[in-house]
Amino acid sequence: MPAWALNAFALYHAKALYEGQRGAQERYGQEKRVINLTRSSYTGQQRYGTILWSGDTEASWSTLRKQIAAGLNFCTSGLPYWTTDIGAFFVKSGNQWFWKGDYPDGSKDLGYRE
């Protein structure tokens, strides 16, 4: 398959960030590791110091269960650095599109705090 037919934007984005950071470090005589927290991934981008983030999740036990399975599957694919919002982002339940959590009182709910 020709390179132009691949959706490798995430790979080239990570490469550009990595090379830019390394170039700046060389100019100023610093030696630090480059870390890039991103939502998108592509095969081989672990060489550029990327950590994939699963994105904003809803506060429910079923979502946490799915996130654990997703993280394990992702790491077995050869990209070892993966993270999630364990406490979740979408907390309340209700009519708004972003209210998908199981805790109507949000962070005031003792179940959510646990």
Side-chain angles (χ1 to χ4, degrees):
M1 179 179 295
W4 57 266
L6 298 175
N7 187 8
F9 175 80
L11 176 66
Y12 288 105
H13 185 259
K15 180 180 179 182
L17 283 169
Y18 180 85
E19 290 175 351
Q21 288 291 315
R22 294 300 286 185
Q25 290 176 12
E26 289 172 8
R27 278 193 301 275
Y28 298 111
Q30 299 173 344
E31 297 231 3
K32 295 182 180 178
R33 290 177 43 177
V34 176
I35 299 292
N36 174 14
L37 183 62
T38 183
R39 281 191 193 186
S40 56
S41 180
Y42 194 82
T43 304
Q45 87 177 32
Q46 70 271 25
R47 73 186 86 148
Y48 301 121
T50 57
I51 300 172
L52 184 72
W53 170 53
S54 67
D56 298 327
T57 59
E58 61 190 62
S60 68
W61 288 108
S62 65
T63 298
L64 178 59
R65 186 172 32 258
K66 292 173 188 174
Q67 288 292 299
I68 292 169
L72 291 171
N73 284 323
F74 185 81
C75 291
T76 58
S77 71
L79 296 159
Y81 302 115
W82 183 85
T83 188
T84 183
D85 285 339
I86 301 239
F89 184 77
F90 304 113
V91 179
K92 296 181 178 185
S93 59
N95 296 329
Q96 299 291 336
W97 67 269
F98 54 86
W99 288 356
K100 294 184 178 185
D102 289 345
Y103 303 96
D105 294 331
S107 60
K108 294 178 184 174
D109 192 309
L110 295 178
Y112 174 75
R113 287 187 199 178
E114 184 179 322

